[in-house]
Amino acid sequence: MSLRPIAGPSRRLILPCTRSHSTASRPTPSHAYAVPPPLPSRPGPPPPPPPRTEATSSRPNLTPDQHDLIARIVRVDQAGELGANWIYRGQKWGSAVRGDKKTAKEVEGMWASERHHLAVMKLVQQQHRVRPTLLYPLWQAMAFGLGAGTALMGREAAMACTEAVETVIGEHYDDQLRALKPLLESTASTAVSPINPNADTVADADAVTPPHPSLPLLASVLEEFRDDELEHLDIAVEGGAQKAPGHSLLSAVIGFGCKAAIKVCERV
Ligand SMILES: [Fe+2]
Ligand SMILES: [Fe+2]
């Protein structure tokens, strides 16, 4: 993934938000996992009923390569959500130190959805038995420092930090959804007819095995989180991110750091 300069209206740098046309086919939201509901961040209908527990309590039968893909996705997302929590924690602290109640309140709103994201990712990590990143303490310290440092620089710098981080994370969730797509497709069955075992395989074209329900659930969680991150990006831009002193440099440095952290967390 190449580094792209973050300038101008960042929202345009992200793939279009697909919430409006993906909701209908989305099997379940993250509420399927038994975590406290997030603070309401947008108006809309109540969440649909929880899915079959199989989707949240069992694991798919995957090849080693497929499991490696899921492990990388879950590990880096859990680490990313942890980092986001500590960035916002730092921003809230830094804003409070400056006496900037307005920014602290906006930061708290975004932090609330990050707490929900982290809680869900922990359950996903446990369900798929993925080892968490070994760099938790490092990410906590770095993320808090980034959030606090930019917030101490001023409201616009804090928003520029959020803009840069959420730009990278939004793109990252889209990359993961593309990588996950092959696992969401039904596979053709080669089952033999139970009536006549000597016959050709059962209607071969019609007999398909749907993906394990945990996989479309994971995709729906990634979509939901991606859309939340893009909302945070919008809040940051509207909050004056691009008026921050040294905006281009700040965005480039933070964006590069996020991408480097993603690469490390996928493996470590
Ligand atoms: Fe998040
Ligand atoms: Fe976010």
Side-chain angles (χ1 to χ4, degrees), residues 80-81 84-85 88 113-114 117-118 166 169 173 225 228-229 232:
E81 297 300 347
N85 271 265
Y88 286 122
S113 61
E114 301 297 357
H117 293 179
L118 183 59
E166 302 292 18
I169 300 305
Y173 274 130
F225 289 7
D228 287 345
E229 313 304 4
H232 298 166

Short mmCIF file of all heavy atoms in Angstrom, two decimals, residues 80-81 84-85 88 113-114 117-118 166 169 173 225 228-229 232, ligand 1:
data_model
loop_
_atom_site.label_atom_id
_atom_site.label_comp_id
_atom_site.label_asym_id
_atom_site.label_seq_id
_atom_site.Cartn_x
_atom_site.Cartn_y
_atom_site.Cartn_z
N GLY A 80 -5.23 -2.07 16.12
CA GLY A 80 -5.61 -0.74 15.63
C GLY A 80 -6.67 -0.10 16.50
O GLY A 80 -6.61 1.10 16.79
N GLU A 81 -7.64 -0.89 16.91
CA GLU A 81 -8.69 -0.34 17.76
C GLU A 81 -8.14 0.02 19.14
O GLU A 81 -8.57 0.99 19.75
CB GLU A 81 -9.86 -1.32 17.89
CG GLU A 81 -10.58 -1.60 16.56
CD GLU A 81 -11.18 -0.36 15.91
OE1 GLU A 81 -11.28 0.68 16.58
OE2 GLU A 81 -11.54 -0.43 14.73
N ALA A 84 -6.45 3.29 18.57
CA ALA A 84 -7.43 4.38 18.44
C ALA A 84 -7.93 4.81 19.81
O ALA A 84 -8.09 6.00 20.09
CB ALA A 84 -8.58 3.93 17.55
N ASN A 85 -8.20 3.83 20.67
CA ASN A 85 -8.67 4.15 22.02
C ASN A 85 -7.66 5.02 22.76
O ASN A 85 -8.03 5.99 23.43
CB ASN A 85 -8.93 2.86 22.81
CG ASN A 85 -10.35 2.36 22.63
OD1 ASN A 85 -11.22 2.65 23.44
ND2 ASN A 85 -10.62 1.61 21.56
N TYR A 88 -7.42 8.63 21.34
CA TYR A 88 -8.50 9.50 21.81
C TYR A 88 -8.38 9.78 23.31
O TYR A 88 -8.72 10.86 23.77
CB TYR A 88 -9.86 8.88 21.48
CG TYR A 88 -10.20 8.99 20.01
CD1 TYR A 88 -10.46 7.88 19.23
CD2 TYR A 88 -10.25 10.23 19.39
CE1 TYR A 88 -10.75 7.99 17.88
CE2 TYR A 88 -10.53 10.37 18.04
CZ TYR A 88 -10.78 9.24 17.29
OH TYR A 88 -11.06 9.36 15.96
N SER A 113 -17.22 5.21 20.41
CA SER A 113 -17.37 4.17 19.39
C SER A 113 -16.11 3.32 19.29
O SER A 113 -16.17 2.13 18.98
CB SER A 113 -17.76 4.75 18.04
OG SER A 113 -16.79 5.62 17.57
N GLU A 114 -14.95 3.90 19.60
CA GLU A 114 -13.73 3.09 19.58
C GLU A 114 -13.72 2.06 20.72
O GLU A 114 -13.19 0.96 20.56
CB GLU A 114 -12.49 3.99 19.70
CG GLU A 114 -12.34 5.04 18.60
CD GLU A 114 -12.17 4.46 17.21
OE1 GLU A 114 -12.10 3.22 17.06
OE2 GLU A 114 -12.13 5.26 16.26
N HIS A 117 -15.71 -0.72 19.35
CA HIS A 117 -14.93 -1.47 18.36
C HIS A 117 -13.95 -2.42 19.04
O HIS A 117 -13.81 -3.57 18.65
CB HIS A 117 -14.12 -0.50 17.47
CG HIS A 117 -14.95 0.36 16.60
ND1 HIS A 117 -14.42 1.31 15.75
CD2 HIS A 117 -16.30 0.43 16.41
CE1 HIS A 117 -15.38 1.92 15.10
NE2 HIS A 117 -16.54 1.41 15.49
N LEU A 118 -13.28 -1.91 20.06
CA LEU A 118 -12.26 -2.74 20.73
C LEU A 118 -12.91 -3.93 21.44
O LEU A 118 -12.39 -5.05 21.39
CB LEU A 118 -11.47 -1.89 21.72
CG LEU A 118 -10.32 -2.59 22.44
CD1 LEU A 118 -9.30 -3.14 21.45
CD2 LEU A 118 -9.63 -1.65 23.43
N GLU A 166 -7.65 8.17 10.57
CA GLU A 166 -8.89 7.57 10.07
C GLU A 166 -8.84 7.39 8.55
O GLU A 166 -9.50 6.50 8.00
CB GLU A 166 -10.10 8.41 10.48
CG GLU A 166 -10.25 8.61 11.98
CD GLU A 166 -10.60 7.33 12.74
OE1 GLU A 166 -10.42 6.23 12.21
OE2 GLU A 166 -11.06 7.45 13.90
N ILE A 169 -6.98 4.14 8.25
CA ILE A 169 -7.78 3.02 8.76
C ILE A 169 -8.96 2.73 7.84
O ILE A 169 -9.31 1.57 7.60
CB ILE A 169 -8.27 3.32 10.20
CG1 ILE A 169 -7.08 3.54 11.13
CG2 ILE A 169 -9.13 2.17 10.71
CD1 ILE A 169 -6.07 2.41 11.15
N TYR A 173 -9.51 -0.92 6.18
CA TYR A 173 -10.69 -1.78 6.29
C TYR A 173 -11.20 -2.16 4.89
O TYR A 173 -11.65 -3.29 4.67
CB TYR A 173 -11.79 -1.08 7.09
CG TYR A 173 -11.67 -1.28 8.59
CD1 TYR A 173 -11.71 -0.21 9.47
CD2 TYR A 173 -11.53 -2.55 9.12
CE1 TYR A 173 -11.61 -0.40 10.84
CE2 TYR A 173 -11.42 -2.75 10.49
CZ TYR A 173 -11.45 -1.66 11.35
OH TYR A 173 -11.35 -1.86 12.70
N PHE A 225 -17.38 -0.90 11.09
CA PHE A 225 -16.29 -0.13 11.69
C PHE A 225 -15.71 0.85 10.67
O PHE A 225 -15.37 1.98 11.01
CB PHE A 225 -15.19 -1.07 12.20
CG PHE A 225 -15.58 -1.87 13.42
CD1 PHE A 225 -16.88 -1.82 13.91
CD2 PHE A 225 -14.66 -2.65 14.08
CE1 PHE A 225 -17.25 -2.56 15.03
CE2 PHE A 225 -15.02 -3.38 15.21
CZ PHE A 225 -16.31 -3.34 15.67
N ASP A 228 -17.83 3.81 10.57
CA ASP A 228 -17.64 4.63 11.77
C ASP A 228 -16.36 5.46 11.66
O ASP A 228 -16.33 6.64 12.02
CB ASP A 228 -17.55 3.75 13.03
CG ASP A 228 -18.91 3.15 13.41
OD1 ASP A 228 -19.94 3.63 12.91
OD2 ASP A 228 -18.92 2.20 14.22
N GLU A 229 -15.28 4.83 11.16
CA GLU A 229 -14.01 5.56 11.04
C GLU A 229 -14.16 6.72 10.05
O GLU A 229 -13.58 7.80 10.25
CB GLU A 229 -12.87 4.64 10.60
CG GLU A 229 -12.72 3.31 11.32
CD GLU A 229 -12.58 3.39 12.83
OE1 GLU A 229 -12.66 4.49 13.40
OE2 GLU A 229 -12.41 2.33 13.46
N HIS A 232 -15.67 9.56 11.74
CA HIS A 232 -14.66 10.28 12.54
C HIS A 232 -13.82 11.18 11.64
O HIS A 232 -13.44 12.29 12.02
CB HIS A 232 -13.76 9.29 13.27
CG HIS A 232 -14.51 8.42 14.26
ND1 HIS A 232 -13.96 7.28 14.81
CD2 HIS A 232 -15.76 8.52 14.77
CE1 HIS A 232 -14.85 6.73 15.63
NE2 HIS A 232 -15.94 7.46 15.62
FE FE B 1 -12.24 2.05 15.44
#
